[in-house]
Amino acid sequence: MSFITVETAEEKLGKSFAPDGDKARLVLLANTWMKKEIGFIPKEIDEVLQVAACEIIQGIMAKAIYNGKEQQLKRKRIKGDTVESEKEYQDGSVAISKFEQIAKDLIDSLDLENPSGGFGGFGIELMRV
């Protein structure tokens, strides 16, 4: 089971959302992003999750998602005779694209329940003997 299929992406984004040879890869990457973000695949895929997956597809196509990671800026200092500018980012902070922000908000708008009881798709059945 997956969050979105090529057919669903074509319905929501239009048949020409990407060249035919790229559609399967884009859908695979969107499904991968969604699974990693949520931690599991719900038993039933709400339409909101399909819209979120479409946002991820659009972000990938816009080269805003899965486009490599820049080195995290710790400090930037520019000093001149009259101008001094300095930047320092919080350790571990990362910028996310507007596509990811929208997808995360759509996901958060749902009360998703892990079908395996909260173990991220993995569980161990324990029996007392």
Side-chain angles (χ1 to χ4, degrees):
M1 180 181 259
S2 61
F3 293 93
I4 193 165
T5 63
V6 171
E7 293 78 20
T8 306
E10 287 177 338
E11 287 173 18
K12 301 210 177 291
L13 297 172
K15 289 213 179 266
S16 61
F17 78 91
D20 287 340
D22 294 341
K23 290 179 181 179
R25 181 174 183 272
L26 289 167
V27 166
L28 172 66
L29 291 174
N31 282 320
T32 301
W33 189 96
M34 294 287 292
K35 171 70 166 62
K36 184 177 178 197
E37 179 65 26
I38 295 173
F40 62 91
I41 299 176
K43 287 181 182 178
E44 292 188 31
I45 303 300
D46 191 287
E47 185 176 0
V48 171
L49 294 176
Q50 294 172 345
V51 172
C54 286
E55 285 294 326
I56 298 305
I57 289 172
Q58 290 175 322
I60 295 167
M61 292 187 323
K63 299 188 184 321
I65 302 172
Y66 290 138
N67 195 34
K69 288 188 176 184
E70 293 182 16
Q71 185 176 1
Q72 297 299 310
L73 179 64
K74 176 66 175 174
R75 183 181 305 262
K76 178 181 180 180
R77 185 174 182 171
I78 301 170
K79 190 173 181 179
D81 290 340
T82 58
V83 177
E84 186 173 318
S85 175
E86 187 173 311
K87 288 183 182 181
E88 183 173 352
Y89 296 107
Q90 182 70 22
D91 289 343
S93 69
V94 293
I96 64 171
S97 70
K98 66 181 180 180
F99 303 101
E100 291 169 297
Q101 287 177 322
I102 292 168
K104 286 176 182 245
D105 284 348
L106 288 168
I107 291 166
D108 289 344
S109 74
L110 300 173
D111 291 324
L112 298 176
E113 187 175 316
N114 189 336
S116 64
F119 293 102
F122 298 97
I124 300 172
E125 183 177 344
L126 299 175
M127 297 175 59
R128 180 177 269 173
V129 288

